[in-house]
Amino acid sequence: MEVSGSGMQTLQPLAPLTTTSNGSLAHPTHFLLVGIPGLGPNVHFWLAFPLCFMYAVATLGNLAIILIIRVERSLHEPMYLFLAMLSTIDLVLSSVTMPKMASLFLTGIQEIKFNICLTQMFLIHALSAMESAVLLAMAFDRFVAICYPLHHASVLTGPMVAKIGLASLTRGFVFFFPLPFLLKRLSYCRTHTVTHSFCLHQDIMKLSCTDTKINVVYGLFIILSVMGVDSLFIGCSYILILRAVLELSTRGAALKAFNTCISHLCAVLVFYVPLIGLSVVHRLGGPTSLVHVVMANIYLLLPPVVNPIVYGAKTKEIRSRITSMFSQDGR
C-alpha cells in the first residue's frame, strides 16, 4: 500500500483496465477518491465525526419537515409543498454523498467501482438540477403571492404544483442521463485518482486519454441551460418582488411581505454561491487545488444541512409544530 499526497492510503498506484467487447475502449475497474488535500489520515479520521453529525442533522431535519408537511393539512399549500420537495431532494442528495465520504475518512479506503462512480456522478448532478428547479418554483410562488395575491390560489393549484414537481424531476433526469454514457465512450489512462471525495463529471472527464470535446460542450450546455436559466429567472423574480414591496404603502407591510422570502433567499444563496464559485474555478483550468475541493464540499454538503435549519427557524408553522412535538415528549 502507498500513501497519496493527502495522507490517505491508496490500494495501488495504477488501476487495472478493462476493455470493451470490441477492444477499442479502456475503462478502469475502479477510481480512487481523495479526501482533503494536505491533510493526514489522523485529521481525516477526526473530520469523519462532524461529517456524521452533519448527515444526522440533514436526515432528521429534512425528514421532520417532510413528515410535518404531510401530517398538517393546513400546510398543504404551494410554498410548503415545494419545501417538501426541496427537503426530499436534500435528503437523497446527502445520502448519496455523506455516507461514502464518512467511510472514506474513517477507514481510508478510497476505492469506488467504475460503474458505481458513474451512478453517484449522475445522481449528484441530476439531483442538483432538480433542486435548482424547485428553488425556481419557490421563487415563482413568492412572486405570485406578493405581486398578484388575489390570483395566487387560482394560479398555483394542487394539480399545477404536482405538474411543476414532475417537470423538475423529468428535466433533471433527461438533461443529465447522457453523462454516464458520454463518459463510457472515453478511454482512460492508468492514472485513476478522482480529486474529490465523490464523483463529478468534470473530474472523471479529466482522467481520459481521448478527446473530451463533446463532454466539455455538453457539460457547459446543461450548466447554462439548467442552472444558468434558473438563476436568471430567480433573479428576475426577486427584482419584481422588490419593486412590488417598495410600492407598498407602509413600512410594516413591506417588511412583512419581504420577510416571507427570507428563508427562500437563504436557500438560494447557499445553493448558487458555491455552485457559481465551483464553476468558475473549474473553468479557469489548471490542477485541482484545495479551493476546488472546499468549494465542491460546500456546494454538496451545506444545503441539505442548512435548509431545514433555516426553514425550521423562520417558518412559524413548522417551528411551532416541532416545539409542540418536543413539549409532548417532555411530559
Side-chain angles (χ1 to χ4, degrees), residues 3 13 46 123-124 139 162 177 196 204 263 267 273 276 303:
V3 178
W46 290 109
L123 289 173
I124 287 174
F177 185 71
H196 290 90
I204 302 173
S263 298
V273 171
I276 293 170

Side-chain angles (χ1 to χ4, degrees), residues 177-190:
F177 185 71
L179 287 186
F181 300 98
L182 289 176
L183 290 171
K184 279 197 168 187
R185 56 175 283 278
L186 302 176
S187 282
Y188 293 87
C189 309
R190 300 284 287 182

Side-chain angles (χ1 to χ4, degrees), residues 26 118 127 186 188 305 309 319:
L118 295 188
L127 289 167
L186 302 176
Y188 293 87
V305 176
I309 295 174
R319 185 174 67 248

Side-chain angles (χ1 to χ4, degrees), residues 18-321:
T18 58
T19 56
T20 55
S21 57
N22 60 11
S24 60
L25 298 177
H27 294 160
T29 57
H30 61 266
F31 291 116
L32 294 182
L33 300 174
V34 173
I36 300 176
L39 299 183
N42 289 336
V43 179
H44 279 106
F45 177 81
W46 290 109
L47 281 177
F49 294 98
L51 184 62
C52 291
F53 176 74
M54 290 173 64
Y55 181 55
V57 171
T59 302
L60 294 175
N62 287 298
L63 272 177
I65 287 178
I66 294 168
L67 292 175
I68 289 171
I69 293 173
R70 178 180 174 83
V71 170
E72 289 290 331
R73 295 194 63 84
S74 61
L75 298 181
H76 290 184
E77 299 176 5
M79 180 174 69
Y80 300 111
L81 294 176
F82 288 135
L83 176 57
M85 295 178 195
L86 184 69
S87 294
T88 302
I89 293 169
D90 282 340
L91 185 62
V92 178
L93 185 59
S94 62
S95 298
V96 167
T97 55
M98 291 189 187
K100 180 61 182 175
M101 283 186 66
S103 172
L104 168 66
F105 288 177
L106 280 171
T107 66
I109 297 176
Q110 299 172 267
E111 186 182 78
I112 182 170
K113 298 294 184 182
F114 178 75
N115 286 327
I116 295 177
C117 186
L118 295 188
T119 302
Q120 186 191 52
M121 178 273 305
F122 164 72
L123 289 173
I124 287 174
H125 290 301
L127 289 167
S128 296
M130 294 173 198
E131 181 154 349
S132 177
V134 172
L135 289 173
L136 174 58
M138 296 173 85
F140 178 67
D141 168 71
R142 292 298 84 208
F143 164 71
V144 177
I146 292 173
C147 298
Y148 303 97
L150 298 179
H151 299 283
H152 184 260
S154 60
V155 172
L156 285 168
T157 60
M160 178 57 69
V161 171
K163 288 177 183 177
I164 292 174
L166 182 60
S168 303
L169 181 69
T170 303
R171 189 189 68 161
F173 180 85
V174 169
F175 270 83
F176 289 91
F177 185 71
L179 287 186
F181 300 98
L182 289 176
L183 290 171
K184 279 197 168 187
R185 56 175 283 278
L186 302 176
S187 282
Y188 293 87
C189 309
R190 300 284 287 182
T191 302
H192 62 301
T193 301
V194 178
T195 52
H196 290 90
S197 305
F198 34 77
C199 298
L200 297 175
H201 173 252
Q202 55 267 35
D203 264 0
I204 302 173
M205 180 182 66
K206 289 179 181 178
L207 301 179
S208 172
C209 297
T210 48
D211 184 23
T212 60
K213 186 178 295 183
I214 294 176
N215 295 69
V216 172
V217 171
Y218 186 72
L220 184 59
F221 165 72
I222 54 180
I223 284 292
L224 293 177
S225 59
V226 176
M227 278 74 164
V229 170
D230 289 352
S231 60
L232 180 64
F233 279 116
I234 290 172
C236 290
S237 297
Y238 271 101
I239 291 173
L240 296 174
I241 288 171
L242 187 60
R243 189 179 71 175
V245 167
L246 293 176
E247 290 176 354
L248 292 175
S249 57
T250 64
R251 181 182 176 86
L255 289 175
K256 184 177 180 181
F258 196 73
N259 190 52
T260 63
C261 302
I262 296 299
S263 298
H264 179 253
L265 267 176
C266 291
V268 168
L269 292 174
V270 166
F271 180 82
Y272 279 105
V273 171
L275 173 62
I276 293 170
L278 184 61
S279 299
V280 169
V281 294
H282 273 294
R283 293 293 174 266
L284 291 177
T288 301
S289 65
L290 180 62
V291 176
H292 290 74
V293 175
V294 171
M295 290 297 292
N297 286 340
I298 292 173
Y299 165 60
L300 284 180
L301 303 183
L302 204 58
V305 176
V306 172
N307 287 343
I309 295 174
V310 170
Y311 275 99
K314 289 294 295 180
T315 308
K316 180 181 177 181
E317 293 82 357
I318 294 176
R319 185 174 67 248
S320 61
R321 179 65 178 177

